[in-house]
Structure formats: structure tokens, C-alpha cells
Amino acid sequence: GQQIQGAMDFLYFDIKPYVRGGPRLFQLAINALDTSGGSNTAIERDLFAPLRQLVLAGEEDGEVDFRPVSQKIEASAKQLTDAARDRKVDDAIAASDVIIADLSSLFTTINKEAGSKVFLLPDDPEYEKRSDAYRSKMAEGKSTTLMKKDGD
């Protein structure tokens, strides 16, 4: 659950402002969305992997088939990565909005099925409070990665 919530954080707190923030921030979006590195990319780690885990969990308990919405999100993510790579700002903005809306829809479905607030949605007044925790977590992860590189 936390990983897929983290996917929303990645899209909402990083990608959404990056694609809207002018050339310097747009370059950060390009870097974050670059899939040429295979499984060791931000979008693979922060969106696709948690999404696949959710699909598998749904298959295992047999109650909800998350595959259609997962495929829709992955298709939108491909549009986003292509738009970023091709520096098509308007297309990247539109695609990021679609992914956030689709993931929000998925979260709403899961929350309804569970009968509780399993996932926090961006339109929830409490959501912005996640920003500081997300930034700290990302800074921690980056510094750990940097230390590993320095120590090799």
C-alpha cells in the first residue's frame, strides 16, 4: 500500500510541477521519466513496480481485477515519457494529469472496496501534508545512493 501511495506522491509532488515549471524543471521531468535505464529508473521504481504488485495482490485474493486500470495507467505513462523525451510540454502536462486522475480513480475504488481510507487522494485536504515527508524520504534515498557511490 505504501509503495503505490508513493507512486502518487512521485507523480503529484515531482512530475506534475516539473512538467509545468519551465525548461530547467522540465529537464528534471525528462530525467525522472527516462526509461532507457531499464528497471533502475524513477518511473519504473516509483510507479510501475508498485502498480504491478497491486495487480498481483488483486489476482491473488481474486476480488478485484486491477489489470485494466493498470494497463491504462501504463499507457498514459508511456505517453508522458514520450512527451517528455520529445519536449512536448503541453502533451506532458496533459498526460501527467491523466495518470494522476487514473491513479486517483484506482485509489477511490480501493477505498470504497475496503470501506475505509486506505489511500489518500490529492484532493484530500490532508494530502499536502505528505509533501514534507515525501521530500525528506527522497532526500534520504538520494543521499544514501550518493554515499554508496562515494564508498565504492
Side-chain angles (χ1 to χ4, degrees), residues 117-137:
K117 196 186 288 188
V118 177
F119 294 108
L120 201 57
L121 293 128
D123 62 359
D124 188 301
E126 296 292 308
Y127 195 76
E128 282 299 322
K129 293 179 182 175
R130 292 185 58 81
S131 178
D132 291 340
Y134 175 74
R135 295 278 168 238
S136 296
K137 182 179 172 197

Side-chain angles (χ1 to χ4, degrees), residues 63-99:
E63 290 187 24
V64 183
D65 182 7
F66 296 119
R67 186 163 295 153
V69 72
S70 172
Q71 290 170 339
K72 186 177 177 190
I73 291 169
E74 288 202 37
S76 296
K78 180 167 178 9
Q79 290 176 337
L80 176 59
T81 58
D82 291 349
R85 182 197 62 228
D86 298 340
R87 298 183 184 279
K88 295 181 178 175
V89 175
D90 290 341
D91 292 350
I93 289 170
S96 74
D97 289 346
V98 168
I99 296 170

